[in-house]
Amino acid sequence: MLVFEKSRPGRGISALPECDVDIYTLPDEDMRETDLHLPEMAEVDLSRHYTELAKKAHGVNDGFYPLGSCTMKYNPKVNEKTASFDEFTQIHPLQPEHTVQGCLQVIKETEESLAEITGMSNFTLQPAAGAHGEFTGLLLIKAYHLANGDTKRKKIIVPDSAHGTNPASAVMAGMDVINVDSTPEGLVDVAKLREVCEGNDEIAGLMLTNPNTAGLFDPNIKEITDIIHECGGQCYYDGANLNAIMGWARPGDMGFDCVHLNLHKTFSTPHGGGGPGSGPVGCKEHLAKFMPGLTVEGEEGSLAFAKASESLGEMKNFYGNFLVVVKALTYIKMLGKQGIPEASKNAVLNANYMMNKLSAKYDIAFNPKVCMHEFVMDIARQAKETGVTAMDIAKGLLDNNIHPPTMYFPLTVHEALMAEPCETESKETLDEAIKVFLELNDLAYSDPEALHAAPVKTPVTRLDEVGAARHPVLKYEFE
Ligand SMILES: *Cc1c(COP(=O)(O)O)cnc(C)c1O
């Protein structure tokens, strides 16, 4: 039941503080013509309403959430505490710099930490999400080529295993996407890449995720970035999932020129509910003069905003989703130089533990010996032998209080279930999940109908997902 349906006239209360400024009445033409529909409820009923809704959802606080490529790790509560300090929440972006030195310090230290973690020289915290960061990075590459008078460079190479946002961002940045197929091992086909690049003066660059969406680290990475540089292109690193390598390997050392990170994945800001996120972009020195937005310069106590000399403009107002930045810096400071690589190590260990246990019954796409932070199961064999698909297994997991892995992605694996357990899960949780996965495989062979019918224990059962996507009902119609 919606909050509007529970509303009863006269039941609401408003307890506003007394107005301490002059009351200003808007001119008639700026006033609403009809009353605003606000639900009227007692506080207790409202509180119960939202608690009931929260119980219907599944989050990292409810149970295992191995959604691949999303890094649904546990977000330490201390992050929320620092992000709720008045000194961060009650500021105005146009306040004089000397009154917000602490906030500037947060920005500066975050920029510096991220630069150190990725091997970049500069960072902007403006972009609001991963895809927004990709778009920003591509604009940097574009600005660089244009400044060199290289107007022909409009083609960007994106491997077929890329996250869907990569080609989309490239098109938005006015580039033409060249798709390069992967090898049977799921890696970049270096010979094909060479073929596309050699003597080609229209290549703007390459967009790559490493480890890629199948959780595989490309051992040819240095050769790949060299090929792009040799033909005059720039290398963009999609660092949305830095969980596998932070503290161990740096995109900058792999030869990348710019990178985005998802603070709302690796750096432990809650996500999945639609935001706010943050997709900072880092670059090497030769791209720094084009950076968008404001950066912070100077010494502690006399910090000031500065703008890059040929800045491409603003990607978002002021300095992005600042409180997300506060959470990320809290996380980085809490873990420190020892904790960051340890988190990665455990993320990779957990993924390999699960992959190895599940490989008893599930085919692992590309059959890697080791994976990084995630791995992809291929349900094609079960689908052929029993009719049970990746979708059916996912629905069966829901009945066991486990959020399904990412389904039908990467596109190169047709019945894909991509699992990312994350470092924050205990061995007991992993063992329990492994048991459920193995039981569901057995169920596929003994009683496939049961899996076609799942889920049966959730607040809603099988949904018309196509209908929801094609004809979404996004607002309540009052009678
Ligand atoms: C999540 C993700 C993105 C997109 O990030 P958003 O914040 O959802 O825009 C891009 N690339 C990869 C590899 C991702 O996992």
Side-chain angles (χ1 to χ4, degrees), residues 194-210:
R194 215 176 264 289
E195 219 171 275
V196 170
C197 292
E198 247 164 17
N200 193 336
D201 60 359
E202 295 182 353
I203 301 291
L206 162 86
M207 291 183 92
L208 198 70
T209 307
N210 187 37

mmCIF file of all heavy atoms in Angstrom, residues 194-210:
data_model
loop_
_atom_site.group_PDB
_atom_site.id
_atom_site.type_symbol
_atom_site.label_atom_id
_atom_site.label_comp_id
_atom_site.label_asym_id
_atom_site.label_seq_id
_atom_site.Cartn_x
_atom_site.Cartn_y
_atom_site.Cartn_z
ATOM 1 N N ARG A 194 46.472 -4.932 -32.805
ATOM 2 C CA ARG A 194 47.579 -4.407 -33.605
ATOM 3 C C ARG A 194 47.119 -4.108 -35.035
ATOM 4 O O ARG A 194 47.430 -3.061 -35.605
ATOM 5 C CB ARG A 194 48.713 -5.429 -33.622
ATOM 6 C CG ARG A 194 50.092 -4.826 -33.636
ATOM 7 C CD ARG A 194 51.145 -5.899 -33.566
ATOM 8 N NE ARG A 194 51.634 -6.147 -32.210
ATOM 9 C CZ ARG A 194 52.393 -5.321 -31.518
ATOM 10 N NH1 ARG A 194 52.729 -4.144 -32.012
ATOM 11 N NH2 ARG A 194 52.827 -5.630 -30.313
ATOM 12 N N GLU A 195 46.334 -5.035 -35.565
ATOM 13 C CA GLU A 195 45.809 -4.898 -36.927
ATOM 14 C C GLU A 195 44.986 -3.607 -37.066
ATOM 15 O O GLU A 195 45.130 -2.866 -38.027
ATOM 16 C CB GLU A 195 44.881 -6.086 -37.181
ATOM 17 C CG GLU A 195 44.936 -6.698 -38.573
ATOM 18 C CD GLU A 195 44.125 -7.994 -38.546
ATOM 19 O OE1 GLU A 195 44.697 -9.047 -38.169
ATOM 20 O OE2 GLU A 195 42.917 -7.915 -38.857
ATOM 21 N N VAL A 196 44.116 -3.380 -36.052
ATOM 22 C CA VAL A 196 43.245 -2.203 -36.099
ATOM 23 C C VAL A 196 44.076 -0.919 -35.981
ATOM 24 O O VAL A 196 43.784 0.092 -36.637
ATOM 25 C CB VAL A 196 42.208 -2.264 -34.953
ATOM 26 C CG1 VAL A 196 41.441 -0.962 -34.821
ATOM 27 C CG2 VAL A 196 41.253 -3.430 -35.167
ATOM 28 N N CYS A 197 45.121 -0.958 -35.168
ATOM 29 C CA CYS A 197 45.830 0.283 -34.812
ATOM 30 C C CYS A 197 46.938 0.677 -35.780
ATOM 31 O O CYS A 197 47.152 1.872 -36.017
ATOM 32 C CB CYS A 197 46.434 0.149 -33.417
ATOM 33 S SG CYS A 197 45.179 0.081 -32.155
ATOM 34 N N GLU A 198 47.661 -0.305 -36.304
ATOM 35 C CA GLU A 198 48.882 0.035 -37.040
ATOM 36 C C GLU A 198 48.615 0.998 -38.193
ATOM 37 O O GLU A 198 47.777 0.747 -39.051
ATOM 38 C CB GLU A 198 49.582 -1.243 -37.518
ATOM 39 C CG GLU A 198 50.910 -1.406 -36.789
ATOM 40 C CD GLU A 198 51.494 -2.805 -36.882
ATOM 41 O OE1 GLU A 198 51.076 -3.586 -37.741
ATOM 42 O OE2 GLU A 198 52.376 -3.100 -36.065
ATOM 43 N N GLY A 199 49.323 2.107 -38.146
ATOM 44 C CA GLY A 199 49.221 3.109 -39.208
ATOM 45 C C GLY A 199 47.897 3.859 -39.219
ATOM 46 O O GLY A 199 47.623 4.620 -40.135
ATOM 47 N N ASN A 200 47.083 3.655 -38.188
ATOM 48 C CA ASN A 200 45.766 4.305 -38.157
ATOM 49 C C ASN A 200 45.863 5.632 -37.402
ATOM 50 O O ASN A 200 46.106 5.667 -36.208
ATOM 51 C CB ASN A 200 44.771 3.362 -37.477
ATOM 52 C CG ASN A 200 43.338 3.807 -37.673
ATOM 53 O OD1 ASN A 200 43.080 4.980 -37.913
ATOM 54 N ND2 ASN A 200 42.416 2.861 -37.566
ATOM 55 N N ASP A 201 45.674 6.745 -38.115
ATOM 56 C CA ASP A 201 45.802 8.049 -37.447
ATOM 57 C C ASP A 201 44.437 8.614 -37.030
ATOM 58 O O ASP A 201 44.296 9.804 -36.795
ATOM 59 C CB ASP A 201 46.565 9.035 -38.342
ATOM 60 C CG ASP A 201 45.851 9.265 -39.659
ATOM 61 O OD1 ASP A 201 44.779 8.640 -39.882
ATOM 62 O OD2 ASP A 201 46.366 10.066 -40.477
ATOM 63 N N GLU A 202 43.433 7.713 -36.969
ATOM 64 C CA GLU A 202 42.107 8.165 -36.522
ATOM 65 C C GLU A 202 41.744 7.628 -35.136
ATOM 66 O O GLU A 202 40.640 7.859 -34.653
ATOM 67 C CB GLU A 202 41.038 7.720 -37.534
ATOM 68 C CG GLU A 202 41.214 8.384 -38.889
ATOM 69 C CD GLU A 202 40.128 7.968 -39.876
ATOM 70 O OE1 GLU A 202 39.329 7.066 -39.550
ATOM 71 O OE2 GLU A 202 40.100 8.553 -40.959
ATOM 72 N N ILE A 203 42.688 6.894 -34.540
ATOM 73 C CA ILE A 203 42.400 6.294 -33.224
ATOM 74 C C ILE A 203 42.546 7.346 -32.121
ATOM 75 O O ILE A 203 43.621 7.908 -31.912
ATOM 76 C CB ILE A 203 43.380 5.128 -32.936
ATOM 77 C CG1 ILE A 203 43.277 4.043 -34.010
ATOM 78 C CG2 ILE A 203 43.128 4.550 -31.532
ATOM 79 C CD1 ILE A 203 41.994 3.255 -34.025
ATOM 80 N N ALA A 204 41.448 7.608 -31.422
ATOM 81 C CA ALA A 204 41.510 8.524 -30.271
ATOM 82 C C ALA A 204 42.062 7.790 -29.062
ATOM 83 O O ALA A 204 42.767 8.366 -28.248
ATOM 84 C CB ALA A 204 40.119 9.065 -29.961
ATOM 85 N N GLY A 205 41.716 6.518 -28.943
ATOM 86 C CA GLY A 205 42.222 5.779 -27.791
ATOM 87 C C GLY A 205 41.511 4.461 -27.567
ATOM 88 O O GLY A 205 40.843 3.931 -28.461
ATOM 89 N N LEU A 206 41.703 3.967 -26.350
ATOM 90 C CA LEU A 206 41.172 2.669 -25.944
ATOM 91 C C LEU A 206 40.495 2.832 -24.584
ATOM 92 O O LEU A 206 40.985 3.569 -23.738
ATOM 93 C CB LEU A 206 42.337 1.679 -25.813
ATOM 94 C CG LEU A 206 42.133 0.394 -25.026
ATOM 95 C CD1 LEU A 206 41.540 -0.682 -25.939
ATOM 96 C CD2 LEU A 206 43.443 -0.115 -24.442
ATOM 97 N N MET A 207 39.384 2.108 -24.402
ATOM 98 C CA MET A 207 38.761 2.044 -23.070
ATOM 99 C C MET A 207 38.864 0.605 -22.607
ATOM 100 O O MET A 207 38.442 -0.301 -23.324
ATOM 101 C CB MET A 207 37.282 2.403 -23.129
ATOM 102 C CG MET A 207 37.000 3.833 -23.441
ATOM 103 S SD MET A 207 35.215 4.134 -23.392
ATOM 104 C CE MET A 207 34.997 4.640 -21.688
ATOM 105 N N LEU A 208 39.397 0.407 -21.407
ATOM 106 C CA LEU A 208 39.595 -0.964 -20.954
ATOM 107 C C LEU A 208 39.362 -1.086 -19.447
ATOM 108 O O LEU A 208 39.679 -0.176 -18.688
ATOM 109 C CB LEU A 208 41.021 -1.401 -21.301
ATOM 110 C CG LEU A 208 41.273 -2.907 -21.287
ATOM 111 C CD1 LEU A 208 40.573 -3.581 -22.452
ATOM 112 C CD2 LEU A 208 42.774 -3.190 -21.388
ATOM 113 N N THR A 209 38.822 -2.230 -19.077
ATOM 114 C CA THR A 209 38.704 -2.592 -17.666
ATOM 115 C C THR A 209 39.684 -3.728 -17.427
ATOM 116 O O THR A 209 39.662 -4.701 -18.170
ATOM 117 C CB THR A 209 37.286 -3.119 -17.359
ATOM 118 O OG1 THR A 209 36.350 -2.166 -17.814
ATOM 119 C CG2 THR A 209 37.093 -3.330 -15.880
ATOM 120 N N ASN A 210 40.555 -3.586 -16.447
ATOM 121 C CA ASN A 210 41.505 -4.647 -16.169
ATOM 122 C C ASN A 210 41.717 -4.759 -14.662
ATOM 123 O O ASN A 210 42.264 -3.844 -14.058
ATOM 124 C CB ASN A 210 42.838 -4.352 -16.857
ATOM 125 C CG ASN A 210 43.816 -5.510 -16.742
ATOM 126 O OD1 ASN A 210 43.409 -6.653 -16.798
ATOM 127 N ND2 ASN A 210 45.081 -5.205 -16.555
#
